[in-house]
Amino acid sequence: MHITRTQFVADAIRSKLLKGEIKGGSALRQDALAKEFNVSRIPVREALLILEAEGLVEFEAHKGAYATELSAPKILELFELRVLLECHILAAAIPRLTKEKLDDAEALLIELDHLLETSSQIDHWSDHNFAFHRALYEAADKPETMALITQLNTQSDRYIRIHLLHAAGVKKAEAEHGELLELCRRGDITSACDLLRRHILVAADDIVALLHQQQQQDC
């Protein structure tokens, strides 16, 4: 598949933001980025606009683009929105989940287990994590809701990576994923949605606690 210069630059900057190589609040100078990626300023500007739509970049009048700041209120709002949309779509999806779709989701969990054994688990775990959830949600056949969920997960990804790097979030999430899949196989909508709600909100609480801890250490 052909990737445009704009897509290439957007993907590269997004990767740096999600990995924490570009810190929240950092200025994103278009001239410097154009030189780094050996492109003109036009694809850089277009890439930054894409990232602004994803919530990873913001523009300030007369100042330019900045990486969005990590903040507890934003974390809580993003994860609360995820609960609303993801529980809604999961409830709609469960009655339509076929054995094939459930087996596909299980195969993704096996891949996640394999990633835990590799040194690059953090780089790829969050992508596979969302792939697992998406495998369950897509049975609902709600493309507009799925598009919003995808955007929210992109905006949440930096926070999720903080959780993975600084807490025992991976092992706990893996156990919950297995339980969630089993509840979906049983067709237990109420229990599955209750578990998903806890799965998302507890992660948010853990991330907020870690962020506060980091801020205190920086003081």
Side-chain angles (χ1 to χ4, degrees):
M1 182 178 67
H2 175 68
I3 299 178
T4 66
R5 288 184 174 86
T6 297
Q7 289 173 310
F8 168 75
V9 174
D11 289 347
I13 298 173
R14 184 188 299 109
S15 178
K16 288 176 176 289
L17 288 165
L18 297 180
K19 291 180 180 179
E21 294 174 10
I22 298 176
K23 303 298 183 184
S26 298
L28 299 168
R29 306 298 183 195
Q30 293 184 39
D31 287 340
L33 291 168
K35 184 177 181 180
E36 178 180 351
F37 298 115
N38 194 29
V39 296
S40 70
R41 288 187 60 181
I42 294 174
V44 171
R45 172 74 178 180
E46 292 173 345
L48 292 175
L49 290 172
I50 290 171
L51 298 174
E52 180 188 32
E54 295 177 359
L56 297 174
V57 168
E58 56 189 1
F59 283 86
E60 292 188 19
H62 312 299
K63 291 185 178 180
Y66 289 81
T68 52
E69 292 275 12
L70 301 174
S71 71
K74 183 170 184 176
I75 292 167
L76 294 173
E77 184 177 3
L78 284 173
F79 281 67
E80 286 166 0
L81 286 170
R82 284 186 57 201
V83 166
L84 291 173
L85 290 175
E86 294 186 38
C87 288
H88 168 72
I89 204 169
L90 181 64
I94 287 175
R96 306 179 67 175
L97 281 168
T98 63
K99 182 180 183 302
E100 181 181 5
K101 291 181 182 296
L102 288 163
D103 288 346
D104 288 343
E106 185 173 6
L108 286 165
L109 282 187
I110 293 171
E111 288 183 35
L112 278 169
D113 286 338
H114 174 70
L115 285 174
L116 289 175
E117 300 171 0
T118 70
S119 60
S120 60
Q121 64 184 50
I122 301 303
D123 289 341
H124 302 290
W125 192 90
S126 59
D127 292 337
H128 283 70
N129 171 62
F130 182 55
F132 165 72
H133 284 272
R134 186 173 58 230
L136 298 177
Y137 301 159
E138 285 182 337
D141 192 24
K142 293 181 178 290
E144 297 302 323
T145 305
M146 198 65 237
L148 290 172
I149 289 170
T150 300
Q151 181 176 343
L152 286 170
N153 273 268
T154 297
Q155 290 180 254
S156 304
D157 197 58
R158 277 189 302 170
Y159 306 112
I160 294 169
R161 286 171 186 265
I162 290 173
H163 191 217
L164 299 179
L165 285 166
H166 300 286
V170 174
K171 287 293 186 183
K172 183 177 180 182
E174 282 302 282
E176 291 175 347
H177 284 156
E179 185 180 351
L180 180 62
L181 181 59
E182 179 59 28
L183 291 170
C184 289
R185 285 193 186 278
R186 295 179 195 169
D188 190 339
I189 295 173
T190 300
S191 296
C193 289
D194 285 345
L195 174 59
L196 179 61
R197 184 179 296 106
R198 294 195 307 273
H199 178 72
I200 295 171
L201 292 180
V202 170
D205 289 340
D206 288 346
I207 295 165
V208 168
L210 285 166
L211 183 62
H212 286 157
Q213 182 180 345
Q214 290 178 349
Q215 289 171 342
Q216 289 174 352
Q217 291 174 349
D218 292 340
C219 292

